[in-house]
Amino acid sequence: MTRENAWTKCDKKKINQVMEFCEEYRKFLSECKTERECTDRAVEMAKENGYVDLMDVIAKNKTLKPGDKVYASNMGKAIVLFNIGTKPIEQGMKILGAHIDSPRLDVKQNPLYEDEELVLMDTHYYGGIKKYQWVAIPLALHGVVVLTSGKKIDVVIGEDMDDTVVGVSDLLIHLAAEQMDKKASKVVEGEALDILVGSMPMGSKKKDDEAKNEKEKTKAYILKLLQKKYGFKEEDFMSAELEAVPAGPARNMGIDNSMIMGYGQDDRVCAYTSLVAMLKTENPEKTTACLLVDKEEIGSVGATGMESKFFENMTAELIGRLGSYNDLTLRRALANSQMLSSDVNAAYDPNYPSAFEKKNASFFGRGIVFNKFTGARGKSGSNDANAEYVAKVRAAMERDDVAYQMAELGKVDVGGGGTIAYILANYGMEVMDCGVAVQNMHAPYEVTSKIDIYETMRGYLAFLK
Ligand code: MN
Ligand code: MN
């Protein structure tokens, strides 16, 4: 079965809508490169749309009623939003979920060293990456340094066009005969991903008198700059979370301007579209929820990952505010819910056709991608949505004329991947995987199709209706 390319069904007006929407998305992608930055922006957008902090509602002992909209931040790294429907919550919610963490290089806790008057920062990569892709490109540092006083210092280095960037070196081709014979997984090893951050010894400017007491003058100068500009010392790296990510904005792509190339589209393309659809939905019948979580790329672990009880706890708090808390109401609200668990899917790539089984691959231009199941080998690690639920979701897409396709990641024995779907399914709710097709998944720059981004947002709206 071949589905029609969604571009061919667009008139001039719709193409303009797609381009306008994707311009906003491109801005979000350029400015929100960490889970913290995504959460901060989501809070801002929620507030602009009439959402209030659930913690304030609780602190003031207020009650909530249909039409009220609340959000709760989980340690500033994940967020849930609720829009209270007219139907009792025990009839279930409509939930959109996506993750806002992306593969990157994390700065280690004891990172700084000097070698022959060069200063480097040691890193530990986060998520599944082809390490050789992260060398010889401009990187930016984003994150926080938390002092023992509790003061939190925000750091962003390398994003303004006149700001300075950092980066990981690679061996010149002229001396790389041995390297080029290695397996791709060994060409650049984890411990060779140290970031070059300085090369100017202190004392280069005459006024640096303290320079003569320093053995490692280049490192001393970097530390002096960090103290002066940001107010932290070397030992404060211990309580820092600094992420090295590709520097600079996401870009429009294609001579026809039909795609977007940018960092972190896995899974911020689904997170942004879910969030926008959530915020556009007014006065729903069933309570709607949007869940943006951290740590998916390392197994959904930790307090801010999907495995944590945060969502369940916040749903319990919400029920408490709707009247009196009742455990059975909570159990039923979760079990009767329907969810779209959104994550990116591999877009068919003409450079690597052998990885795909074309009838079940996802393609640029064919709209939101549904996966009845994900997983590896014999569907291991997948959620495998019920056919009855798949049919319901299809009906919603067809009702609102949303372009959609049904796909798997790649050929059966070639590989696989997991999502957060199975975790929510543990409550007994109906969950299906879906998302946006992306090329170069987990590379520093990933590629998506603009019409797919727009249709995905429309698909979420149709689902929430
Ligand atoms: Mn991923
Ligand atoms: Mn993902």
Side-chain angles (χ1 to χ4, degrees), residues 99 103 266 296-297 343 441-442:
H99 70 91
D266 175 3
E296 193 277 341
E297 295 295 356
D343 209 338
M441 196 189 298
H442 286 206

Side-chain angles (χ1 to χ4, degrees), residues 271-288:
Y272 180 78
T273 45
S274 291
L275 180 62
V276 170
M278 177 73 186
L279 297 177
K280 276 181 185 240
T281 298
E282 294 284 356
N283 304 312
E285 284 194 350
K286 287 199 171 172
T287 296
T288 59

Side-chain angles (χ1 to χ4, degrees), residues 344-347 362-364 367 369 405 435-439 447-449 452:
V344 289
N345 200 73
S362 61
F363 296 86
F364 277 176
V369 184
Q405 49 187 326
V436 177
V438 52
Q439 280 190 350
V447 179
T448 51
S449 152
D452 294 343

Side-chain angles (χ1 to χ4, degrees), residues 237-274:
F237 278 111
M238 281 194 278
S239 46
E241 286 174 2
L242 295 173
E243 306 178 9
V245 297
R251 306 291 298 267
N252 291 311
M253 184 176 175
I255 294 169
D256 57 4
N257 193 21
S258 63
M259 296 167 281
I260 286 183
M261 177 183 253
Y263 165 68
Q265 299 201 69
D266 175 3
D267 185 30
R268 293 173 190 138
V269 66
C270 298
Y272 180 78
T273 45
S274 291

Side-chain angles (χ1 to χ4, degrees), residues 12-81:
K12 188 106 193 142
K13 187 172 157 227
K14 176 148 181 194
I15 290 181
N16 285 339
Q17 287 168 346
V18 173
M19 293 298 169
E20 261 172 50
F21 180 75
C22 287
E23 206 40 39
E24 289 300 307
Y25 165 61
R26 196 168 68 85
K27 236 173 101 189
F28 174 88
L29 201 59
S30 301
E31 290 168 8
C32 302
K33 295 191 177 181
T34 67
E35 57 283 7
R36 287 178 190 269
E37 290 166 353
C38 288
T39 302
D40 288 349
R41 180 57 54 85
V43 168
E44 274 173 31
M45 289 167 69
K47 283 181 177 167
E48 285 165 17
N49 284 273
Y51 282 72
V52 297
D53 191 338
L54 180 58
M55 294 307 125
D56 284 345
V57 174
I58 294 168
K60 291 174 185 155
N61 201 23
K62 286 188 188 162
T63 53
L64 294 170
K65 57 181 191 314
D68 285 343
K69 301 186 278 194
V70 293
Y71 71 88
S73 160
N74 184 4
M75 302 180 183
K77 293 174 166 187
I79 185 171
V80 63
L81 298 89

Side-chain angles (χ1 to χ4, degrees), residues 202-203 205-215 217 220-221 224:
M202 191 145 69
K205 288 189 222 149
K206 271 180 199 136
K207 59 183 176 183
D208 284 324
D209 284 340
E210 67 243 74
K212 52 181 178 293
N213 303 321
E214 294 286 350
K215 253 204 212 138
K217 291 188 169 55
Y221 188 48
K224 188 182 166 185

